[in-house]
Amino acid sequence: NLDNAEGLDAACTRLRQMVEGPIVLGDDVEPVRISLGAALAPRDGRDIDSLLRHADQAMYADKRQRQEGHHPPTGSSRVIPF
């Protein structure tokens, strides 16, 4: 349910869990990590520009936190061959 902050956070967590994880590229196994930013109307804005600005700021904050080690990778342990 994406009509409240908890639902939005849960959706972002599920998306991160589905996308993140190792992939095989030739002979190498490489980690895949994503940075997410989301906005919830009307809490974060009522027009598209405000919502996009908020989501963009949230994405860069997520990226900074992950680079600083505050969010460990959440992907599954499966390895996806390419």
Side-chain angles (χ1 to χ4, degrees):
N1 190 355
L2 296 179
D3 61 358
N4 60 50
E6 292 80 23
L8 184 61
D9 289 343
C12 288
T13 298
R14 284 192 309 273
L15 179 61
R16 190 183 309 276
Q17 289 171 340
M18 289 187 304
V19 172
E20 289 188 340
I23 63 169
V24 176
L25 298 170
D27 293 333
D28 298 320
V29 176
E30 299 293 335
V32 173
R33 296 187 67 189
I34 60 172
S35 296
L36 294 173
L40 187 64
R43 180 192 74 177
D44 300 321
R46 294 187 180 273
D47 61 272
I48 192 67
D49 290 330
S50 297
L51 292 168
L52 287 172
R53 186 171 38 258
H54 182 85
D56 191 54
Q57 290 169 351
M59 181 195 62
Y60 282 105
D62 184 52
K63 185 177 185 122
R64 274 192 308 277
Q65 289 177 348
R66 291 166 85 51
Q67 287 172 339
E68 294 169 359
H70 298 293
H71 296 290
T74 58
S76 71
S77 60
R78 72 188 187 290
V79 177
I80 302 169
F82 275 84

